[in-house]
């Protein structure tokens, strides 16, 4: 037990307590949390800074507005409904199309209009929000992801998570949905996490349910050593997100849209630690390196350059 | 600065807490343990008898206030019998009666008595009327011959009494004494004989029946001694040694030659006396002595509150211990629970239900609540009305469980009412969301985590020494606070993170 702890410490693995005490509470001022906890605000912020985000079709703020939901949706063949203050992917509904007047989810499960309304109503009631506060439901464009991911993705949308510390991209992974995760990109629900080399933008090893895998369990295609397109652009986007929110330690979730390129999906003030497993290395040495030299890194370009030079 | 600040703060808090604690324990002698020897006892007479349809009367002597002992509280359990108490000059008697009774009955008398530290000066009494000696014929002659002999050997009343007592106690009594005592005389018979002899000498005396009070554990040891009227008051004499002094721990119960019990119309009457130290009152001894020495200290302590409020705080002061436990289990071990402090509330409810029943009741309520929740899901209700519906269902479930278990005679079931129902409702809702989003395994794991933390917290707060310590020494909570603050800066791994990250180590090889 103590041997394991010592070995993890030697690897520089960051634990939850240390993350909370030494990074989140020190570098993330509380007053900035609403900027990322409310995805609607994040979206506005990003749009104002000229950063691309998935298009917002509409917002449902009150139960009474649910009546207009179907009229609003009728213009769009596919869309995503998500709670503005949800966490961990809870309450996200992805509609891929319609058949016979029913809404078809990516998983193939059909919903009638009544069930869809109920889901929105639950979101408004605060079922998925932190602390059960009343929430808003956002209706967004569904991202058509880059064809590079086609062979290694089952159902949902793969997203790229980059941990950004003081504006420097620290560690990254791509999360690939599987049949087991039911199209969701959460590692503990059974999605694959593949670490990405910061320097190269190539996927490293992949971890699925705590074991190393070479191929996607559903598609059978290799998941490692895939070059992520527009990697430099992704890193720039991540580096600029620091100026966007002011949060020192944050996770940024990006999707690569087939047509529009990298889009910011959401920002996270308490990014998880599974990324260390996907990369097979600890965060701590990298964070400490940045703490030591961040003063000299003013521009986003300089920070990206520093990251690509320092982190394999 | 941060580290020094933290160290100083925790040091000050710990020092302050332990300092006040040490002062109260060492200087003011607050008891450290709930069972510290006390001056308060509970005495009980259980009167069992069988009746068969006749008018019943059962009388038993009960203690009365004396200079040394004070009756703090008295209660009678009469079970349908009429009760009167009769207070005479020397004795008190409780009389239970009923016009018609059948079957076996047991009635109780209970009293809390307290030994008085500073005995008030005795009130001068008039000499009692001298009763005619009960001895007749050969007995009287034998007694007089003994008295004659002893009178010659003693100088005053005190030495005569002592001579009489010692003579009666002689291992090998002569013929005259044998006649008076009979074969195999009991200690009581000897005391009565001595009293008869003393009376014959013209000195008012009586037998006192009492019980031995022990510092620990229950006792039913009976004892007798002799009281002599001299110098305008009754004075005790040990009926075995003849000393004019008796043990501090002998509680007088009744006086005279009659037996404890007197009955009419009953069979197999039996009276059992018992006495036990009154544990909860141990602290009262300290308090009453403090009332003289440091009145201000009590003014501003827990003990200045009304008893009802004190009882509330006995429970409330356990909450910080539970909070510390939860902080430990969550941040050092890494157990996931529903709601941060919900396990504490559940643990408090467990105090009434006991662990096993508590876990069962909790599981049943949350399980049935979940079933109801999954059914309500079909109706597509708005969130808050749905929560309200679950709350209604949870409360109805609790009421039904209470009624059913009461009917079945399971007393633990009725205390289900103490479960925090609003929090149970939120648990049901939260659990169903986790169930939907993350799967049944996650939901059950978190529910088990909640129960585990609640059980461990319960096992901690049921330790009676801890309950006693935090109530009598609430300043110890400063130490708990210091530990909580230190825990807040713990940045090591959580125990359950080790297996989670272990794959990271394996992957490297």
């Amino acid at each position: 037990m103590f041997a394991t702890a010592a070995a993890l410490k030697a690897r520089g693995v960051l634990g939850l307590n240390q993350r909370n005490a030494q990074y989140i509470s020190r570098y993330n001022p509380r007053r900035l949390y609403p900027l990322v906890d409310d995805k609607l605000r994040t979206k506005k912020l990003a749009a104002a800074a000229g950063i691309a985000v998935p298009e917002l079709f509409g917002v449902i703020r009150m139960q009474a507005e649910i009546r207009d939901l179907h009229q609003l949706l009728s213009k769009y063949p596919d869309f995503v409904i998500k709670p503005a203050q949800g966490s961990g992917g809870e309450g996200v509904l992805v509609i891929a199309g319609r058949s016979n007047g029913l809404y078809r989810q990516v998983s193939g499960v059909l919903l009638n209009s009544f069930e869809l309304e109920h889901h929105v109503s639950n979101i408004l009631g605060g079922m998925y929000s932190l602390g059960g506060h009343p929430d808003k439901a956002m209706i967004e464009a569904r991202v058509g992801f880059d064809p590079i991911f086609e062979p290694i993705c089952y159902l949902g949308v793969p997203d790229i998570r980059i941990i950004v510390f003081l504006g420097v991209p620290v560690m990254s992974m791509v999360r690939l949905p599987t049949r087991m995760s039911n199209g969701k990109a959460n590692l503990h629900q059974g999605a694959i996490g593949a670490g990405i080399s910061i320097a190269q933008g190539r996927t490293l090893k992949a971890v699925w349910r705590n074991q190393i895998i070479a191929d996607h369990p559903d598609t059978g295609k290799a998941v490692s050593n895939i070059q992520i397109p527009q990697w430099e652009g992704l890193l720039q986007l991540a580096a600029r997100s620091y100026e966007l929110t002011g949060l020192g330690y944050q996770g940024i979730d990006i999707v690569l849209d087939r047509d529009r390129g990298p889009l910011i999906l959401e920002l996270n003030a308490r990014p998880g630690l599974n990324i260390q497993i996907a990369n097979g290395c600890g965060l701590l040495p990298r964070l400490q390196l940045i703490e030591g030299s961040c003063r000299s890194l003013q521009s986003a370009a300089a920070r990206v350059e520093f990251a690509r030079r320092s982190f394999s | 600065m941060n580290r020094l600040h933290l160290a100083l703060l925790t040091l000050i808090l710990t020092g302050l807490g332990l300092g006040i604690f040490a002062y109260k324990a060492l200087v003011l002698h607050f008891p450290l343990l709930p069972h510290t020897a006390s001056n308060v006892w509970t005495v009980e007479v259980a009167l069992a008898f069988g009746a068969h349809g006749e008018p019943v009367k059962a009388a038993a002597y009960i203690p009365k206030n004396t200079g040394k002992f004070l009756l703090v509280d008295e209660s009678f359990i009469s079970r349908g019998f009429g009760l009167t108490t009769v207070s005479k000059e020397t004795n008190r008697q409780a009389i239970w009666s009923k016009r018609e009774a059948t079957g076996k009955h047991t009635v109780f008398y209970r009293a809390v008595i307290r030994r008085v530290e500073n005995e008030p000066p005795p009130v001068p009494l008039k000499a009692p009327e001298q009763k005619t000696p009960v001895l007749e014929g050969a007995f009287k002659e034998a007694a007089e011959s003994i008295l004659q002999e002893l009178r010659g050997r003693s100088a005053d009343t005190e030495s005569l009494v002592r001579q009489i007592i010692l003579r009666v106690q002689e291992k090998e009594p002569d013929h005259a004494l044998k006649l008076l005592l009979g074969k195999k005389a009991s200690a009581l018979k000897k005391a009565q004989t001595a009293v008869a002899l003393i009376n014959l000498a013209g000195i008012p005396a009586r037998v006192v029946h009492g019980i031995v009070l022990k510092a620990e554990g229950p006792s039913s040891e009976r004892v007798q001694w002799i009281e002599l009227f001299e110098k305008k008051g009754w004075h005790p004499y040990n009926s075995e040694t003849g000393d004019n002094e008796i043990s501090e721990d002998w509680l007088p119960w009744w006086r005279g030659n009659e037996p404890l019990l007197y009955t009419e119309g009953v069979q197999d009457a039996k009276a059992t006396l018992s006495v036990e130290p009154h544990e909860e009152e141990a602290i009262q001894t300290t308090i009453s002595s403090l009332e003289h020495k440091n009145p201000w200290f009590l003014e501003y302590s827990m003990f200045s509150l009304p008893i009802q409020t004190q009882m509330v705080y006995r429970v409330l002061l356990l909450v910080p211990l539970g909070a510390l436990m939860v902080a430990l289990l969550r941040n050092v071990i890494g157990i996931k629970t529903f709601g941060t402090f919900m396990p504490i509330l559940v643990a408090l409810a467990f105090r009434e239900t006991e662990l096993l029943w508590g876990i069962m009741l909790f599981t049943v309520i949350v399980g049935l609540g979940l079933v109801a929740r999954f059914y309500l899901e079909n109706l597509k209700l708005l969130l808050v009305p749905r929560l309200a519906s679950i709350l209604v269902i949870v409360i109805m479930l609790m009421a039904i469980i209470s009624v059913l278990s009461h009917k079945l005679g399971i007393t633990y079931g009725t205390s289900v009412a103490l479960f925090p129902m609003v929090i149970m409702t939120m648990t049901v809702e939260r659990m169903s969301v986790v169930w939907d989003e993350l799967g049944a395994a996650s939901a059950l794991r978190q529910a088990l985590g909640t129960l585990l933390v609640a059980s461990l917290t319960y096992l901690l707060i049921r330790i009676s020494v801890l309950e006693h310590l935090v109530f009598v020494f609430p300043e110890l909570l400063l130490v708990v606070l210091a530990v909580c603050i230190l825990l807040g800066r713990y940045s090591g791994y959580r125990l359950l993170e080790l297996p989670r990250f272990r794959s990271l180590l394996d992957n490297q090889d």
Side-chain angles (χ1 to χ4, degrees):
Chain A
M1 195 171 89
F2 290 107
T4 312
L8 289 176
K9 208 173 180 82
R11 280 271 152 67
V13 172
L14 188 66
L16 265 178
N17 288 328
Q18 197 172 13
R19 181 200 74 176
N20 292 343
Q22 291 180 9
Y23 291 95
I24 291 188
S25 72
R26 191 177 301 171
Y27 293 103
N28 290 358
R30 260 254 70 112
R31 65 189 162 81
L32 298 178
Y33 276 36
L35 296 182
V36 293
D37 283 345
D38 186 344
K39 296 189 181 72
L40 216 52
R41 288 187 69 174
T42 317
K43 225 173 177 54
K44 280 184 191 146
L45 215 58
I51 294 175
V53 290
E55 191 190 342
L56 183 68
F57 292 159
V59 182
I60 307 283
R61 291 188 171 80
M62 287 178 296
Q63 299 282 354
E65 290 174 352
I66 295 177
R67 267 177 295 169
D68 310 327
L69 182 67
H70 300 291
Q71 204 194 336
L72 174 73
L73 294 176
S74 62
K75 284 178 268 175
Y76 310 106
D78 56 351
F79 52 87
V80 178
I81 299 181
K82 56 167 80 164
Q85 298 177 46
S87 66
E90 282 186 28
V92 178
L93 196 66
V94 184
I95 301 295
R98 290 187 177 83
S99 45
N100 307 324
L102 298 172
Y103 294 94
R104 186 164 47 77
Q105 297 184 61
V106 275
S107 57
V109 177
L110 294 168
L111 290 178
N112 63 28
S113 55
F114 186 56
E115 285 167 324
L116 195 77
E117 285 171 18
H118 182 59
H119 184 78
V120 174
S121 156
N122 274 339
I123 290 176
L124 297 190
M127 187 161 150
Y128 306 104
S129 71
L130 297 163
H133 301 298
D135 201 357
K136 300 178 283 267
M138 297 162 60
I139 299 157
E140 278 185 350
R142 179 171 164 244
V143 175
F145 57 84
D146 195 283
I148 184 91
F149 294 118
E150 207 85 54
I152 52 165
C153 200
Y154 183 83
L155 295 177
V157 179
D159 73 1
I160 295 163
R161 155 70 59 91
I162 304 177
I163 302 275
V164 184
F165 181 50
L166 298 173
V168 183
V170 181
M171 201 175 269
S172 174
M173 68 170 167
V174 58
R175 297 182 295 187
L176 305 165
T178 62
R179 183 199 298 274
M180 190 186 183
S181 77
N182 206 10
K184 290 188 175 161
N186 269 325
L187 292 201
H188 58 271
Q189 288 177 313
I192 298 171
I196 302 174
S197 136
I198 292 279
Q200 311 292 328
R202 280 179 177 278
T203 54
L204 304 162
K205 291 167 187 163
V207 177
W208 183 51
R209 299 166 63 210
N210 279 342
Q211 50 187 332
I212 298 281
I213 53 163
D215 305 325
H216 193 287
D218 300 319
T219 65
K221 299 287 193 299
V223 284
S224 55
N225 215 23
I226 291 173
Q227 177 65 47
I228 308 288
Q230 311 177 49
W231 183 240
E232 174 70 20
L234 282 171
L235 290 180
Q236 295 285 353
L237 198 61
R240 280 167 65 199
S241 71
Y242 176 44
E243 272 85 17
L244 201 63
T245 60
L247 291 168
Y249 184 86
Q250 62 184 345
I252 169 168
D253 291 346
I254 303 171
V255 282
L256 273 177
D257 190 83
R258 193 168 36 214
D259 312 313
R260 301 181 58 207
L263 307 178
I264 287 192
L265 213 52
E266 63 179 274
L267 297 172
N268 202 319
R270 315 165 194 78
L273 297 169
N274 277 329
I275 197 166
Q276 299 177 107
I277 302 175
N279 276 271
C281 82
L283 273 166
L284 216 47
R286 299 186 179 193
L287 296 176
Q288 283 161 352
L289 182 67
I290 295 168
E291 273 179 315
S293 52
C294 65
R295 299 275 164 261
S296 58
L297 304 167
Q298 290 303 318
S299 72
R303 294 194 300 255
V304 169
E305 200 272 326
F306 173 82
R308 295 193 81 159
R309 184 158 33 86
S310 310
F311 309 135
S312 60
Chain B
M1 164 257 158
N2 217 334
R3 196 163 274 230
L4 182 71
H5 184 169
L6 195 77
L8 272 179
L9 179 65
T10 48
L11 217 64
I12 289 172
L13 287 175
T14 315
L16 202 62
L18 290 179
I20 301 175
F21 169 73
Y23 176 69
K24 279 166 79 172
L26 300 177
V27 180
L28 299 180
H29 300 292
F30 275 73
L32 282 173
L33 298 171
H35 297 279
T36 312
S38 79
N39 277 336
V40 183
W41 287 266
T42 310
V43 297
E44 182 185 278
V45 188
L47 208 63
F49 51 83
H52 37 257
E54 285 172 33
V56 164
K57 187 176 164 191
Y61 287 111
I62 54 178
K64 58 186 288 181
N65 283 329
T66 67
K68 268 194 191 129
F69 294 97
L70 217 59
L71 285 164
V72 180
D73 186 27
E74 278 187 307
S75 60
F76 298 85
I77 299 172
S78 306
R79 303 185 198 255
F81 284 80
L83 173 79
T84 48
T85 55
V86 183
S87 203
K88 289 181 193 152
E89 196 183 330
T90 47
N91 288 323
R92 276 173 84 219
Q93 208 173 19
I95 304 165
W96 286 272
S97 56
K98 200 173 190 180
R99 175 149 304 184
E100 202 180 298
T102 46
K104 286 193 187 301
H105 297 274
T106 311
V107 292
F108 293 91
Y109 164 80
R110 284 199 190 113
V112 177
I113 52 155
R114 185 155 132 219
R115 182 156 54 202
V116 181
E117 293 281 315
N118 306 313
E119 221 175 303
V123 186
L125 297 171
K126 271 191 220 160
E129 274 176 45
Q130 185 65 347
K131 286 175 202 150
T132 44
V134 284
L135 299 168
E136 277 174 357
F139 294 107
K140 194 174 179 186
E141 272 171 36
E144 269 172 353
S145 76
I146 294 171
L147 207 55
Q148 197 72 40
E149 176 202 333
L150 293 177
R151 263 206 182 112
R153 283 199 248 149
S154 54
D156 54 5
T157 313
E158 200 181 316
S159 59
L160 176 64
V161 169
R162 182 183 292 253
Q163 293 279 357
I164 292 172
I165 291 172
L166 290 176
R167 178 68 191 268
V168 171
Q169 289 293 336
E170 259 174 23
K171 283 233 170 76
E172 283 169 21
D174 59 14
H175 285 292
L177 195 56
K178 256 185 191 163
L179 185 67
L180 290 175
L181 288 175
K183 277 180 199 167
K184 286 190 183 172
S186 64
L188 176 61
K189 180 70 185 169
K190 285 179 179 171
Q192 284 169 339
T193 307
V195 165
L197 285 171
I198 297 166
N199 281 340
L200 195 66
I203 307 160
R206 61 194 185 189
V207 178
V208 184
H209 304 257
I211 190 162
V212 181
L213 303 172
K214 292 194 172 154
E216 266 177 53
S219 142
S220 54
E221 190 186 335
R222 299 242 206 130
V223 71
Q224 303 82 33
W225 65 95
I226 293 169
E227 269 180 353
L228 214 65
F229 192 89
E230 51 182 6
K231 297 168 204 147
K232 293 188 175 174
W234 290 96
H235 297 277
Y237 279 78
N238 189 312
S239 63
E240 285 176 15
T241 63
D243 294 338
N244 56 354
E245 201 173 52
I246 56 160
S247 164
E248 287 275 297
D249 295 331
W250 290 1
L251 171 73
W253 200 281
W254 82 98
R255 295 165 169 88
N257 285 334
E258 286 103 58
L260 171 64
L261 192 58
Y262 166 81
T263 58
E264 275 174 27
V266 303
Q267 279 186 326
D268 306 327
K270 194 170 166 249
T272 321
L273 286 188
S274 60
V275 55
E276 205 172 351
H278 201 308
E279 285 160 5
E280 284 166 33
E281 302 285 336
I283 186 71
Q284 295 297 337
T285 318
T286 314
I287 290 173
S288 52
S289 76
L290 264 186
E291 270 166 4
H292 303 296
K293 281 188 275 177
N294 284 47
W296 61 270
F297 207 90
L298 281 179
E299 275 303 286
Y300 297 99
S301 80
M302 288 279 146
F303 299 104
S304 64
L305 297 171
I307 295 289
Q308 282 296 323
T309 320
Q310 284 190 30
M311 296 314 284
V312 172
Y313 272 100
R314 262 182 190 274
V315 178
L316 282 190
L317 291 179
L318 288 173
V319 171
L321 291 178
L324 178 62
M325 184 79 171
V326 168
L328 260 173
L329 289 173
R330 282 176 66 109
N331 275 45
V332 179
I333 310 290
I335 301 175
K336 279 189 176 164
T337 60
F338 286 117
T340 314
F341 289 122
M342 171 188 175
I344 304 178
L345 298 177
V346 176
L348 288 179
F350 281 180
R351 276 165 52 93
E352 303 299 324
T353 56
E354 305 273 312
L355 190 57
L356 211 62
W357 278 100
I359 291 176
M360 275 170 55
L361 291 171
F362 180 87
T363 314
V364 166
I365 293 176
V366 171
L368 292 176
L370 263 182
V371 172
R373 167 67 178 76
F374 284 128
Y375 168 70
L376 289 179
E377 179 66 26
N378 293 326
L379 303 180
K380 310 288 175 205
L381 305 178
L382 292 180
L383 182 77
V384 178
R386 184 176 64 222
L387 279 178
S389 313
I390 300 172
L391 180 58
V392 172
I393 291 168
V394 163
I395 290 178
M396 287 197 311
L397 282 173
M398 285 164 61
I400 291 169
I401 288 175
S402 282
V403 171
L404 279 184
S405 56
H406 182 70
K407 272 272 173 277
L408 294 174
I410 307 166
T411 48
Y412 294 120
T414 51
S415 37
V416 70
L418 292 155
F419 275 113
M421 60 235 170
V422 172
I423 291 199
M424 302 269 277
T425 305
M426 297 309 289
T427 305
V428 169
E429 174 68 16
R430 187 68 210 140
M431 196 167 162
S432 78
V433 171
V434 173
W435 193 296
D436 279 349
E437 294 282 332
L438 304 178
S442 284
L444 290 178
R445 201 176 313 127
Q446 277 192 45
L448 274 180
T450 307
L451 267 183
L452 181 70
V453 174
S455 306
L456 290 175
T457 308
Y458 162 74
L459 291 178
L460 178 82
I461 62 177
R462 74 188 282 242
I463 300 173
S464 61
V465 176
L466 278 182
E467 181 183 331
H468 171 84
L469 280 179
V470 289
F471 184 70
V472 178
F473 307 98
E475 59 276 3
L476 287 178
L477 292 184
L478 290 174
V479 181
V480 174
L481 178 63
V483 177
C484 283
I485 289 175
L486 276 183
L487 204 58
R489 297 294 301 180
Y490 170 73
S491 63
Y493 296 115
R494 298 177 185 178
L495 198 62
L496 293 180
E497 275 180 341
L498 298 183
R500 176 181 161 196
F501 287 127
R502 173 164 281 160
S503 59
L504 196 150
L505 294 178
D506 302 340
N507 295 349
Q508 296 286 304
D509 306 329

